[in-house]
Amino acid sequence: MAPTGAFMPLLPAEWAPQSGVQLTWPHAETDWAYMLDAVQDCFMRIAREIAPREQLLIVTPEPEAVARQLNGTVCMENVRFLRCPTNDTGARDHGAITLLEADGPALLDFTFNGWGLKYPAAKDNLITRRAVSAGALQGRYVNCLDFVLEGGSLESDGCGTLLTTSRCLLSANRNDGLDKEAIERRLLDTLHLQRVLWLDYGYLAGDDTDSHIDTLARFCPADTIAYVRCCDTADEHYEELRQMEAQLHSFRTLQGKPYRLLPLPMPSTIEADGERLPATYANFLVVNGAVLYPTYRQPAKDRLAGEVLQSAFPKREIVGIDCTALIHQHGSLHCVTMQYPQGVLQGKGNGACLS
């Protein structure tokens, strides 16, 4: 136990002040090759909303080509590049997880194994080390590579509580051999938490992350949880999400009070090649002064999701971004971004490229 008054490392909430956001840019050697123009247009829209508000780090093997795409449409003063080979675009899951320590940020580098050995990940698994060694990320590098962990599986309230899903963290294709008690102990010790709330229900058809928490339920300020609700009894998600909602109602804050729960609508079914795609409004990104949330060309539901998020974040601008393209590779807006708190991305970018 730390001495009274000692500074305890903190896993900040996403709404804490940020220095910037990482995007790992799609290119022709990724699984996006068959629809590259559409997904790059989506990334451009995301970059356009981030760059005026904070720093933007773009990881790509082709910085010159991406710079040409961005020039004239994005605030390049706040953009920098890291030249780096990449497999995919899941910055949320291969990016560093940041702890705030007394003497500055600590950048925790966990193993990323392609969402449970489903996809190649050797290049992506080297990005954080390369970003730190190149000076793209500032902070103390912490080697946690003996443990598989993805940022999309973690929700922090900034006060010592972590929300996650048992379906993801206990899957055999991540940390096989460790039981729930051992995994929880590792999370508590490494991330300096007081407790873990395990969500045992909830999934999205087409999701290949084994139920990342950021597709289902998200912490918001003032002991609030925004979560996906399905009201259609004929929908394949209805029963699982009903049980998830009941479990969320059973959770209590550290002070023993129920959480304020805000239901997000379930998008209408979107399919491609006969497969249902994992569209979710829970996959939003909090940045300085705003919340960027995915929309799916469903005006009524898109608008309702924005209204719910405005209730959760009343002092922030709520900005919808069409992410229909992103769900074709089983993720959405939050999945392709990783925010970094103050002190990690320093100075102006001015389009500089680090290698």
Side-chain angles (χ1 to χ4, degrees):
M1 181 177 295
T4 302
F7 184 92
M8 291 295 293
L10 172 69
L11 180 64
E14 193 164 307
W15 55 88
Q18 297 176 12
S19 61
V21 171
Q22 175 183 325
L23 283 173
T24 302
W25 206 262
H27 56 85
E29 300 303 315
T30 66
D31 287 344
W32 291 111
Y34 73 103
M35 55 177 296
L36 192 58
D37 288 346
V39 74
Q40 287 185 343
D41 284 347
C42 183
F43 270 66
M44 289 273 289
R45 291 191 292 271
I46 296 170
R48 203 156 42 230
E49 294 296 341
I50 293 170
R53 296 177 169 92
E54 54 194 77
Q55 298 291 306
L56 176 59
L57 172 66
I58 295 177
V59 179
T60 172
E62 306 167 339
E64 295 84 5
V66 179
R68 287 193 295 271
Q69 289 179 288
L70 298 180
N71 276 323
T73 63
V74 173
C75 177
M76 294 302 287
E77 181 182 8
N78 282 345
V79 177
R80 72 189 68 193
F81 296 92
L82 174 67
R83 188 190 307 273
C84 188
T86 64
N87 296 110
D88 211 317
T89 52
R92 175 67 41 186
D93 299 325
H94 60 241
I97 294 171
T98 310
L99 288 181
L100 297 179
E101 299 183 326
D103 56 353
L107 302 168
L108 278 56
D109 188 11
F110 294 92
T111 285
F112 172 61
N113 73 346
W115 300 287
L117 305 174
K118 298 181 183 73
Y119 305 100
K123 295 174 183 177
D124 290 345
N125 198 40
L126 297 173
I127 290 175
T128 292
R129 275 166 281 179
R130 188 156 182 163
V132 174
S133 64
L137 301 179
Q138 305 290 323
R140 182 174 69 87
Y141 177 83
V142 181
N143 186 329
C144 300
L145 295 170
D146 61 336
F147 193 72
V148 176
L149 191 65
E150 299 137 30
S153 68
L154 307 176
E155 270 293 301
S156 172
D157 67 352
C159 298
T161 295
L162 187 79
L163 180 63
T164 190
T165 67
S166 55
R167 185 170 282 149
C168 178
L169 263 63
L170 303 185
S171 65
N173 53 5
R174 284 176 171 81
N175 292 294
D176 193 18
L178 296 182
D179 61 13
K180 182 177 180 180
E181 182 179 358
I183 289 174
E184 180 166 320
R185 176 46 53 194
R186 179 65 183 262
L187 294 171
L188 292 170
D189 292 345
T190 305
L191 301 177
H192 298 274
L193 303 167
Q194 294 190 52
R195 63 176 184 155
V196 177
L197 295 177
W198 293 90
L199 201 54
D200 300 313
Y201 304 98
Y203 82 100
L204 294 179
D207 168 47
D208 55 9
T209 67
D210 303 307
S211 297
H212 272 183
I213 191 67
D214 70 352
T215 67
L216 298 168
R218 303 287 305 282
F219 276 133
C220 305
D223 293 332
T224 297
I225 298 175
Y227 69 99
V228 177
R229 174 194 276 171
C230 180
C231 297
D232 180 1
T233 58
D235 191 292
E236 64 184 294
H237 299 98
Y238 177 77
E239 184 57 29
E240 272 275 335
L241 293 180
R242 185 194 65 78
Q243 292 183 80
M244 184 186 82
E245 182 179 47
Q247 190 173 16
L248 288 171
H249 276 286
S250 75
F251 288 160
R252 295 294 180 266
T253 69
L254 283 168
Q255 292 72 40
K257 298 179 180 179
Y259 284 93
R260 174 192 180 214
L261 299 181
L262 295 178
L264 291 161
M266 184 83 184
S268 300
T269 300
I270 304 174
E271 293 185 340
D273 299 323
E275 176 191 29
R276 186 166 181 174
L277 301 178
T280 170
Y281 294 112
N283 211 243
F284 58 84
L285 172 70
V286 186
V287 295
N288 293 336
V291 176
L292 312 182
Y293 79 100
T295 61
Y296 302 106
R297 303 175 190 174
Q298 300 179 17
K301 290 188 175 182
D302 292 347
R303 182 172 56 253
L304 176 56
E307 292 169 356
V308 173
L309 292 173
Q310 188 69 81
S311 178
F313 297 90
K315 296 182 179 180
R316 295 183 190 246
E317 183 181 7
I318 309 299
V319 180
I321 299 175
D322 182 355
C323 290
T324 308
L326 288 183
I327 58 174
H328 283 261
Q329 284 295 319
H330 317 294
S332 199
L333 199 158
H334 196 250
C335 301
V336 300
T337 57
M338 173 53 91
Q339 80 286 340
Y340 294 108
Q342 288 182 336
V344 178
L345 296 175
Q346 298 182 10
K348 295 295 182 181
N350 295 317
C353 180
L354 301 168
S355 297

